[in-house]
Amino acid sequence: MEQLTITEKSGANYALYELFGACNSYTVGDLQSKIFENIKSTNVVLDLSQVTTMDSTGMGLLFACFNKGLDTGYKLYLMNMSFAVINTVKETGFLEAFNVITSVTEVQ
């Protein structure tokens, strides 16, 4: 089973999580806790460039975090999505709903 490694960094108006590995039902628990805690007080950026696979649970986490951000007044940003992530998000038909960026300088 592939793991998900999470590296945390912070900026002036965001918390950045660099993800490495699989984003699935076995690996998203720790990530969800971190995002839900931080999106109460700042924007959250997920660097998805090194995500190798994403299943429906990973996709559900993105939706839940997006909605949590709407509730708290902060935004979830998806940055540098890997091919696997882009395909999964496109399959839902909601790609345009997410805040997609290529650099943390785009966080508002």
Side-chain angles (χ1 to χ4, degrees):
M1 173 175 34
E2 196 173 352
Q3 299 294 314
L4 179 65
T5 304
I6 306 164
T7 303
E8 255 182 275
K9 297 180 180 177
S10 61
N13 63 338
Y14 62 87
L16 170 65
Y17 296 99
E18 296 172 335
L19 308 181
F20 302 87
C23 190
N24 58 40
S25 58
Y26 300 105
T27 63
V28 298
D30 189 36
L31 177 61
Q32 178 176 331
S33 299
K34 291 174 186 281
I35 294 172
F36 276 22
E37 183 60 35
N38 275 303
I39 206 156
K40 295 176 188 175
S41 59
T42 192
N43 297 305
V44 171
V45 179
L46 300 180
D47 181 342
L48 302 166
S49 61
Q50 299 299 313
V51 173
T52 55
T53 60
M54 178 176 280
D55 69 4
S56 59
T57 303
M59 193 63 231
L61 173 64
L62 295 183
F63 281 120
C65 295
F66 177 83
N67 288 330
K68 188 72 150 173
L70 291 176
D71 293 344
T72 62
Y74 293 97
K75 293 182 181 179
L76 173 71
Y77 292 90
L78 307 182
M79 185 171 76
N80 300 327
M81 292 186 286
S82 69
F83 183 73
V85 175
I86 288 172
N87 281 344
T88 303
V89 174
K90 279 185 177 178
E91 285 177 3
T92 66
F94 288 101
L95 181 61
E96 292 77 25
F98 289 105
N99 302 299
V100 178
I101 59 174
T102 58
S103 169
V104 291
T105 59
E106 296 175 64
V107 175
Q108 300 176 12

